[in-house]
Amino acid sequence: MIVEVILDVPLERSFDYLCDDVVADDCGRCVRVPWGTGQKIGLIRAVKADSTHPQDRLKHVLEIWRHIPALTSSDWGLIEFASRYYHYPLGQTAMGILPPALRRIRGWSPRKTWQSSSMKNVAEPGLLQELNCAQAEILHNLRQSQGYTPHLLYGITGSGKTEIYLNWMDNLLEQGKQVLLLVPEINLTPQFEARLTRRWPTLFWVSLHSGISDTERAHRWLAAQRGEALLVLGTRLAVFTPMPNLGLIIVDEEHDSSFKQQEGLRYSARDLAIVRANRESIPILLGSATPSLESWLNARSGRYRLHRLTQRAVPLARLPAVYFTPVGQSLIWKEALQKTLMRGEQALVFINRRGYAPVLYCPACGWQAFCQRCSTRLVVHRQDQILRCHHCGIVKRLVRHCPECGSLHLETRGDGTQKVETHLKECFPEHRILRLDSDSLSRKGSWSVAYQQILDHEVDLLIGTQLVVKGHDFPDLSFVVVLNADQSLYSSDFRATERLLAQLIQVTGRAGRANLPGQVWIETDYPDHPVYQTLKNQEIEEYWEHELGVRQQTGWPPYSYLAILRAESCDRELLEGFMKQAGEQAHTLAMEGLMVYEPVPALLYRKAGQYRYQILVQADGRVALQEFLGCWRIALVRLKTGKRLRWVLEVDPIDC
Ligand code: ADP
Ligand code: ZN
Ligand code: ZN
């Protein structure tokens, strides 16, 4: 017999091998095959009698891994869709979604002792929360879902969305169905894990994210694939988890850009979750306090069913009062902060930049510290006495004198979390301050520790970036200040205000979640901007309608569909030549309803020594865009570029 195998190689084709003892059921299993002078792990795509290649030139399969379940046709369906839609080779797509431990040459040997014996496959309810009327009504409606039914749950922060998820999941778990719950950040999993354990103390469920060891990840994946783990809680990569009895998908914080994979197969887990629910004829629930405009438009046009929660769930919890102060005038909010801390409540200072300061410069001659490999400045990290590039990661010693003129008087400009931390420690020496950014939380498990510290009120004042504010529920937190909020208003990205508003609502939603009245301070020079006015009532509907109007007029998504060709090379001439040809190809291939923009340097023009260019394509419809991309891709592959230039097509990009 012949087996058709797909391999992790950047080619559009599969490879035929001979195999004597193969059966039709082996389709979807991992195989070890010879490849060149070495070996590779692949997946059996098909079993057939004949090959189009001469049989005497085919090699033999070395081993079929029968101790691992095969991918089913519905697993393949999603993989093939992703490969087609994102124009990424099938072999790389399929092998890329397997847990790394399952694609090692030396094979996979399961440990017997893995599953904790106290866990059962039944959902015995633990702690239950009685739903309020609004929640109960929504739950009732959700439960009516028959087959593929996409729902959007728009509920202000703290309105009890999660409680609805848990209740709906409860039903399905009881029926023995599996549930997939996707969250944007690995940081959000401990909080959910705690809530799930409280809810179903004996249920066997698994979480899947990049923060666990390869072996552990493979075990958990297999438990889901065998149908043993009824519930999978995971970040974007979990969207591909094989689950034979999948009955419901929930995507929490569906607007979050972390659902978008930014390298390799550049997929949106939120979008693939929708596709998966559709293919498997099951309901899906997207939840957010700030739905993406894409989902909002889908809800408004009736493609998704819209449910609203407009009140906070805890009876006495009120929305925080919002105050505005001019940028850089910190005296007023510091006074309010002081009072908050004196009352024994917790506070959060939000600033979306880590490090000490983003600029180091010499007032005497104008020199600035730039990264030699990127078109960007080096960030001062004073504690470590280094300068670091936040794009390529390069580290330099913090210089004491100007390399140009020798002046000993160097200055920093702008604030990062470390500078704010230093400053606030001087202002509030008697309070416990904790900085939360990717530098302070870089070690594994440090977020769980920090999270527990906050819950146990072992810290008073948090200083954090967006990394830590998403979706967290800190009952004692009553005060939030957002430093220098205006920055995103100057961005050229058409999504800038959507993002700013979503971010501010998420941040300010941290305040006053339990029984404490909260207050939020925003440093802005434009307090009358609609974004800030909308923030006051956390009610985005009106603003989203306005924003949709703008998008419709300007023709940006969700009223059009985008794709981007990104290319990079250390050879600028080669790159510019390639982009010119690629652009010409695109113009030739473009049909009506499709617009090809000129090649332009990327926002970060140079990164890690590579020059970067892009071409944006905008289409009226998805079908036309897909058809065009298929043709363009074939044409691009023919432009032989060699190893010194890399390019990628990205569909539905979120940064352009
Ligand atoms: P969201 O997911 O919308 O942010 P949660 O489901 O986390 O909201 O609920 C916010 C807070 O309100 C939590 O502390 C939760 O325990 C509480 N809560 C949720 N539903 C109710 C309810 N029906 N009655 C009382 N408290 C509730
Ligand atoms: Zn100088
Ligand atoms: Zn750099």
Side-chain angles (χ1 to χ4, degrees), residues 10 86 89 140 142 259 310 406 515 529 581:
Y86 294 110
H140 175 79
L142 292 173
F259 283 120
T310 54
N515 297 319
H529 193 288
Q581 280 182 295

Side-chain angles (χ1 to χ4, degrees), residues 1-6 14-31 43-51 55 61 64 66 70-71 76:
M1 293 295 271
I2 310 285
V3 290
E4 195 180 315
V5 175
I6 58 167
S14 55
F15 301 86
D16 285 355
Y17 286 89
L18 294 167
C19 190
D20 298 332
D21 63 338
V22 70
V23 291
D25 273 358
D26 287 329
C27 217
R29 286 196 197 281
C30 286
V31 281
L43 278 163
I44 302 183
R45 185 69 198 94
V47 177
K48 54 192 187 182
D50 282 318
S51 174
Q55 291 228 359
V61 163
I64 299 180
R66 294 214 168 84
L71 294 182
W76 278 113

